[in-house]
Amino acid sequence: MTRIKKFVNFLCDLMVIDQPNIYIVDKGGFKDIDGVSTESFELKDSSAATTIVEENKIYIDMNVIDKAMIYTILAHELRHIYQYQSIMHPSWEEPMAETWKEEILNYNGSDIEGYENQSIEIDANAFSKLIINVVFKKDFEVNCDQELLKKRIQELMNDFSYAEIKECYEYNIGPLPNIKA
């Protein structure tokens, strides 16, 4: 859990957000990010992870995900926390906040066809792709409008430079992994 917690700290520091409570189920055990036993929870059949933004909580079912995807999922779900906190803090002047607010109020969950093309999902996927690419030199496929995704990644690269991501990662975790692309 320590590596996961450090990764969460890194992303919260990078986005300057309050750290959420994170709950994980794995092999029948329910724990928080510190490994402390918690109450059980159940996610929709269509979800491996979900975020309750109003409560600043993330739930992850490790029994249904590829364990190698945990960092991708965390980056995605933490970006949803950022989206909500940017709505709650207009002084952040996040240009997407009004669109995100409308989408959060009328959210189409993963069981609704086309949900992945909502701007909150495009943004969360673009953010996780950017982070995973910079930190682990890896890429992954996302089922969404690829042009919107590419455009949002470019916009995020203006907000989060390689140097900024690297510096924040090294401050919170240590040297970036020396992985060959």
Side-chain angles (χ1 to χ4, degrees), residues 24-180:
I24 298 171
V25 59
D26 192 7
K27 297 179 185 138
F30 296 87
K31 298 184 182 208
D32 67 14
I33 197 166
D34 294 314
V36 176
S37 293
T38 64
E39 292 183 22
S40 64
F41 61 87
E42 193 171 318
L43 302 178
K44 290 184 204 175
D45 288 340
S46 60
S47 297
T50 194
T51 299
I52 311 298
V53 292
E54 301 89 350
E55 297 176 14
N56 205 33
K57 294 179 179 177
I58 296 173
Y59 297 89
I60 302 171
D61 187 342
M62 296 292 287
N63 297 313
V64 298
I65 67 168
D66 174 354
K67 306 286 189 265
M69 292 298 288
I70 187 63
Y71 297 109
T72 304
I73 289 167
L74 283 167
H76 179 101
E77 298 302 329
L78 285 163
R79 187 62 180 181
H80 286 316
I81 295 291
Y82 168 82
Q83 293 164 349
Y84 183 75
Q85 288 183 15
S86 72
I87 292 165
M88 301 311 293
H89 297 92
S91 63
W92 292 6
E93 298 180 1
E94 169 58 58
M96 298 293 296
E98 282 305 311
T99 301
W100 293 341
K101 182 177 181 179
E102 184 65 29
E103 287 184 1
I104 288 171
L105 289 172
N106 302 295
Y107 185 68
N108 292 322
S110 58
D111 53 344
I112 305 294
E113 186 175 337
Y115 91 100
E116 66 275 355
N117 289 321
Q118 297 171 99
S119 67
I120 55 177
E121 291 301 329
I122 294 285
D123 177 71
N125 283 320
F127 180 77
S128 62
K129 282 181 77 73
L130 174 62
I131 295 302
I132 297 307
N133 183 269
V134 169
V135 173
F136 300 109
K137 314 281 188 290
K138 292 185 178 183
D139 195 14
F140 56 93
E141 293 298 315
V142 176
N143 179 28
C144 67
D145 181 310
Q146 296 301 302
E147 289 305 312
L148 290 175
L149 183 66
K150 286 177 191 170
K151 180 179 183 241
R152 189 63 187 144
I153 291 170
Q154 286 299 313
E155 293 167 352
L156 288 171
M157 289 170 65
N158 292 328
D159 294 338
F160 302 102
S161 69
Y162 174 85
E164 181 182 12
I165 294 169
K166 180 179 186 278
E167 180 182 322
C168 190
Y169 183 93
E170 291 179 345
Y171 175 79
N172 283 278
I173 299 174
L176 277 176
N178 190 10
I179 300 169
K180 295 185 187 216

